[in-house]
Amino acid sequence: MMTVETLTNANLWERRVSNVPRGVSTAYPVFAKSAKNAEIWDVEGKRYIDFGGGIGVMNTGHCHPKVIEAIHKQVDAYLHTAFQIMPYAPYIELCERLNAKAPIAGNKKTILFSSGAEALENAVKIARAATGRTGFISFIGGFHGRTMMALALTGKVIPYKKGFGPFPGDVYHIPYPMEYHGVSEDDSIKALQNLFKADIDPAKIAAIAIEPVQGEGGFYIASSSFLKRLRSICDEHGILLIADEVQSGFARTGKLFAIEHSGIEPDLITTAKSLAGGMPLSAVIGKASLMDSVEPGGLGGTYAGNPVACAAAIAIMDLIDEENILSKSEALGNKLIKRLKEIQRDAKSVGEIRGLGGMVAFELVENGNAHKPSADLAKKLTAKALEKGLVLLSCGVYGNVIRILVPITVEDPVLEEGMKIIESSLKEIEG
């Protein structure tokens, strides 16, 4: 008689190591069984507070009832036809709603894909087709995906690019402003101007891609003044501006798109992650004249804009309005920064605290010294927090930044429980 194996974290981890390559890293040897809003339970029944949100995917929480309902309704109708073969209404409705919300003047169009990297790849294709140019500029510390062109745009070698080159050419990187580490807005603009003098004629640049708030790079925030200067330079030279909103979009910063805080208009926007509340979906939104520059058949994908994912995304857009998610994100950010400042008073390793709406992070540095960022402290904190039942994610060029991507819908008692775990864990690792 066959026996059913009891699932444990240990035996699942052993199976993972034996069957899944090490190239896909796994932060913790803990396996999820169920989740709701800002909490996850593992296969052994232990509860965790989720401050990672599936890497910024669960802005409206795990398994929101309205999202689950929309998914089930679509699943009962049909799963897939391929939009390029037999299209369907959810794709059209979602594109209409994204066009209406995107902070771009005039007529807009949207195309759907499956991942953030796929959105960036296609934004590149659209920009090249629209301008007839080949060059691209992105930023040091930026993360744009793991496919080859997205990797070329990504401004961090380890772990993303090591061993995978050569990458597509005509991609250039300049410093992202991060005052805390001595890079001013003027430094970034000067580097861009020097690039135009030394490496490539601006008339050859199709687009500049920027995250309004860097995600993997460390939650550094591009100021309104910097983005306005960048927009002006793009306008002067006929360069398109791509806002990569894969992590910063869909209410994370208190606006639907983080670029809205600056008051400028990008030419193209890429979005993914929290767009569909856990379903794989991404989009490129842009000026209609640019989006129509590609010949029929030049864009698409077998699973791109899957109807189930579209249904989930439509439900997410309803939720953002119905549950005042934008104002909740602002309030969440204020709570997080207030508590982190309280923690900072007694924690000598907490450096700069920064955030835009609910997209908040803090640096871990040796003895409060910005010149000594500590990835080791970040590793110790995330490990200690996990022991206590809190999922935390690190990031940053130096690996020393702790980012908080808790669902915006988190209940106050759960949020405070998580912050107390951060506070107690810091005390323990600092000795």
mmCIF file of all heavy atoms in Angstrom, residues 153-172:
data_model
loop_
_atom_site.group_PDB
_atom_site.id
_atom_site.type_symbol
_atom_site.label_atom_id
_atom_site.label_comp_id
_atom_site.label_asym_id
_atom_site.label_seq_id
_atom_site.Cartn_x
_atom_site.Cartn_y
_atom_site.Cartn_z
ATOM 1 N N LEU A 153 20.353 46.276 -20.580
ATOM 2 C CA LEU A 153 19.911 47.517 -19.953
ATOM 3 C C LEU A 153 20.159 47.516 -18.448
ATOM 4 O O LEU A 153 20.359 48.572 -17.847
ATOM 5 C CB LEU A 153 18.418 47.730 -20.216
ATOM 6 C CG LEU A 153 18.017 48.067 -21.652
ATOM 7 C CD1 LEU A 153 16.509 47.914 -21.831
ATOM 8 C CD2 LEU A 153 18.443 49.485 -22.011
ATOM 9 N N THR A 154 20.152 46.345 -17.830
ATOM 10 C CA THR A 154 20.361 46.229 -16.390
ATOM 11 C C THR A 154 21.758 46.692 -16.015
ATOM 12 O O THR A 154 22.746 46.333 -16.658
ATOM 13 C CB THR A 154 20.127 44.777 -15.943
ATOM 14 O OG1 THR A 154 18.731 44.481 -16.091
ATOM 15 C CG2 THR A 154 20.542 44.543 -14.506
ATOM 16 N N GLY A 155 21.839 47.468 -14.953
ATOM 17 C CA GLY A 155 23.105 48.069 -14.563
ATOM 18 C C GLY A 155 23.763 47.422 -13.369
ATOM 19 O O GLY A 155 24.273 48.096 -12.479
ATOM 20 N N LYS A 156 23.745 46.091 -13.308
ATOM 21 C CA LYS A 156 24.387 45.372 -12.210
ATOM 22 C C LYS A 156 24.857 44.025 -12.718
ATOM 23 O O LYS A 156 24.062 43.244 -13.248
ATOM 24 C CB LYS A 156 23.394 45.195 -11.048
ATOM 25 C CG LYS A 156 24.018 44.601 -9.792
ATOM 26 C CD LYS A 156 23.002 44.526 -8.669
ATOM 27 C CE LYS A 156 23.613 43.920 -7.410
ATOM 28 N NZ LYS A 156 22.635 43.799 -6.309
ATOM 29 N N VAL A 157 26.151 43.743 -12.568
ATOM 30 C CA VAL A 157 26.732 42.518 -13.116
ATOM 31 C C VAL A 157 26.376 41.301 -12.269
ATOM 32 O O VAL A 157 25.845 40.309 -12.778
ATOM 33 C CB VAL A 157 28.263 42.647 -13.256
ATOM 34 C CG1 VAL A 157 28.874 41.310 -13.645
ATOM 35 C CG2 VAL A 157 28.600 43.714 -14.299
ATOM 36 N N ILE A 158 26.702 41.353 -10.975
ATOM 37 C CA ILE A 158 26.474 40.204 -10.096
ATOM 38 C C ILE A 158 25.190 40.421 -9.306
ATOM 39 O O ILE A 158 25.034 41.470 -8.677
ATOM 40 C CB ILE A 158 27.668 39.996 -9.136
ATOM 41 C CG1 ILE A 158 28.922 39.668 -9.945
ATOM 42 C CG2 ILE A 158 27.390 38.885 -8.142
ATOM 43 C CD1 ILE A 158 30.185 39.585 -9.115
ATOM 44 N N PRO A 159 24.233 39.505 -9.348
ATOM 45 C CA PRO A 159 24.327 38.169 -9.946
ATOM 46 C C PRO A 159 23.736 38.065 -11.352
ATOM 47 O O PRO A 159 23.740 36.994 -11.940
ATOM 48 C CB PRO A 159 23.471 37.338 -8.986
ATOM 49 C CG PRO A 159 22.366 38.281 -8.610
ATOM 50 C CD PRO A 159 23.009 39.647 -8.537
ATOM 51 N N TYR A 160 23.223 39.165 -11.883
ATOM 52 C CA TYR A 160 22.345 39.063 -13.055
ATOM 53 C C TYR A 160 23.068 38.803 -14.373
ATOM 54 O O TYR A 160 22.564 38.091 -15.237
ATOM 55 C CB TYR A 160 21.498 40.335 -13.178
ATOM 56 C CG TYR A 160 20.742 40.654 -11.924
ATOM 57 C CD1 TYR A 160 20.980 41.823 -11.206
ATOM 58 C CD2 TYR A 160 19.803 39.753 -11.418
ATOM 59 C CE1 TYR A 160 20.297 42.107 -10.038
ATOM 60 C CE2 TYR A 160 19.120 40.023 -10.243
ATOM 61 C CZ TYR A 160 19.369 41.210 -9.559
ATOM 62 O OH TYR A 160 18.702 41.470 -8.393
ATOM 63 N N LYS A 161 24.261 39.375 -14.563
ATOM 64 C CA LYS A 161 24.894 39.346 -15.887
ATOM 65 C C LYS A 161 26.126 38.447 -15.965
ATOM 66 O O LYS A 161 26.600 38.150 -17.068
ATOM 67 C CB LYS A 161 25.281 40.779 -16.291
ATOM 68 C CG LYS A 161 24.099 41.718 -16.338
ATOM 69 C CD LYS A 161 24.496 43.186 -16.469
ATOM 70 C CE LYS A 161 24.757 43.559 -17.900
ATOM 71 N NZ LYS A 161 24.783 45.030 -18.078
ATOM 72 N N LYS A 162 26.616 38.009 -14.821
ATOM 73 C CA LYS A 162 27.869 37.261 -14.797
ATOM 74 C C LYS A 162 27.758 35.973 -15.624
ATOM 75 O O LYS A 162 26.871 35.155 -15.413
ATOM 76 C CB LYS A 162 28.248 36.917 -13.359
ATOM 77 C CG LYS A 162 29.614 36.232 -13.256
ATOM 78 C CD LYS A 162 29.989 35.957 -11.803
ATOM 79 C CE LYS A 162 31.340 35.274 -11.709
ATOM 80 N NZ LYS A 162 31.716 34.984 -10.298
ATOM 81 N N GLY A 163 28.664 35.819 -16.565
ATOM 82 C CA GLY A 163 28.751 34.607 -17.364
ATOM 83 C C GLY A 163 27.837 34.545 -18.564
ATOM 84 O O GLY A 163 27.836 33.560 -19.295
ATOM 85 N N PHE A 164 27.044 35.604 -18.805
ATOM 86 C CA PHE A 164 26.051 35.559 -19.871
ATOM 87 C C PHE A 164 26.404 36.386 -21.104
ATOM 88 O O PHE A 164 25.679 36.330 -22.098
ATOM 89 C CB PHE A 164 24.691 36.035 -19.340
ATOM 90 C CG PHE A 164 24.109 35.173 -18.253
ATOM 91 C CD1 PHE A 164 23.370 35.735 -17.223
ATOM 92 C CD2 PHE A 164 24.301 33.799 -18.249
ATOM 93 C CE1 PHE A 164 22.830 34.948 -16.218
ATOM 94 C CE2 PHE A 164 23.763 33.001 -17.252
ATOM 95 C CZ PHE A 164 23.023 33.581 -16.231
ATOM 96 N N GLY A 165 27.465 37.156 -21.064
ATOM 97 C CA GLY A 165 27.805 38.022 -22.183
ATOM 98 C C GLY A 165 28.363 37.264 -23.365
ATOM 99 O O GLY A 165 28.602 36.047 -23.280
ATOM 100 N N PRO A 166 28.569 37.931 -24.522
ATOM 101 C CA PRO A 166 28.351 39.368 -24.707
ATOM 102 C C PRO A 166 26.867 39.708 -24.849
ATOM 103 O O PRO A 166 26.066 38.876 -25.268
ATOM 104 C CB PRO A 166 29.089 39.664 -26.013
ATOM 105 C CG PRO A 166 29.032 38.375 -26.778
ATOM 106 C CD PRO A 166 29.112 37.286 -25.741
ATOM 107 N N PHE A 167 26.559 40.942 -24.497
ATOM 108 C CA PHE A 167 25.189 41.424 -24.549
ATOM 109 C C PHE A 167 24.974 42.264 -25.797
ATOM 110 O O PHE A 167 25.928 42.719 -26.434
ATOM 111 C CB PHE A 167 24.884 42.246 -23.294
ATOM 112 C CG PHE A 167 25.013 41.441 -22.034
ATOM 113 C CD1 PHE A 167 26.146 41.543 -21.237
ATOM 114 C CD2 PHE A 167 24.019 40.559 -21.669
ATOM 115 C CE1 PHE A 167 26.281 40.785 -20.093
ATOM 116 C CE2 PHE A 167 24.139 39.784 -20.518
ATOM 117 C CZ PHE A 167 25.276 39.895 -19.734
ATOM 118 N N PRO A 168 23.720 42.489 -26.163
ATOM 119 C CA PRO A 168 23.447 43.350 -27.314
ATOM 120 C C PRO A 168 24.150 44.695 -27.177
ATOM 121 O O PRO A 168 24.245 45.251 -26.064
ATOM 122 C CB PRO A 168 21.924 43.514 -27.268
ATOM 123 C CG PRO A 168 21.439 42.284 -26.578
ATOM 124 C CD PRO A 168 22.484 41.959 -25.558
ATOM 125 N N GLY A 169 24.638 45.201 -28.277
ATOM 126 C CA GLY A 169 25.393 46.445 -28.248
ATOM 127 C C GLY A 169 24.522 47.687 -28.254
ATOM 128 O O GLY A 169 23.290 47.617 -28.225
ATOM 129 N N ASP A 170 25.188 48.834 -28.286
ATOM 130 C CA ASP A 170 24.530 50.139 -28.317
ATOM 131 C C ASP A 170 23.708 50.411 -27.063
ATOM 132 O O ASP A 170 22.654 51.055 -27.122
ATOM 133 C CB ASP A 170 23.653 50.289 -29.565
ATOM 134 C CG ASP A 170 24.273 51.244 -30.581
ATOM 135 O OD1 ASP A 170 25.389 51.736 -30.315
ATOM 136 O OD2 ASP A 170 23.647 51.498 -31.616
ATOM 137 N N VAL A 171 24.188 49.900 -25.918
ATOM 138 C CA VAL A 171 23.553 50.185 -24.633
ATOM 139 C C VAL A 171 24.601 50.819 -23.727
ATOM 140 O O VAL A 171 25.715 50.308 -23.598
ATOM 141 C CB VAL A 171 22.994 48.909 -23.980
ATOM 142 C CG1 VAL A 171 22.428 49.220 -22.595
ATOM 143 C CG2 VAL A 171 21.905 48.295 -24.855
ATOM 144 N N TYR A 172 24.235 51.923 -23.096
ATOM 145 C CA TYR A 172 25.177 52.698 -22.278
ATOM 146 C C TYR A 172 24.554 52.972 -20.913
ATOM 147 O O TYR A 172 23.341 53.162 -20.796
ATOM 148 C CB TYR A 172 25.516 54.017 -22.980
ATOM 149 C CG TYR A 172 26.028 53.826 -24.392
ATOM 150 C CD1 TYR A 172 25.141 53.714 -25.463
ATOM 151 C CD2 TYR A 172 27.382 53.713 -24.648
ATOM 152 C CE1 TYR A 172 25.594 53.506 -26.758
ATOM 153 C CE2 TYR A 172 27.860 53.506 -25.941
ATOM 154 C CZ TYR A 172 26.954 53.405 -26.988
ATOM 155 O OH TYR A 172 27.408 53.187 -28.273
#
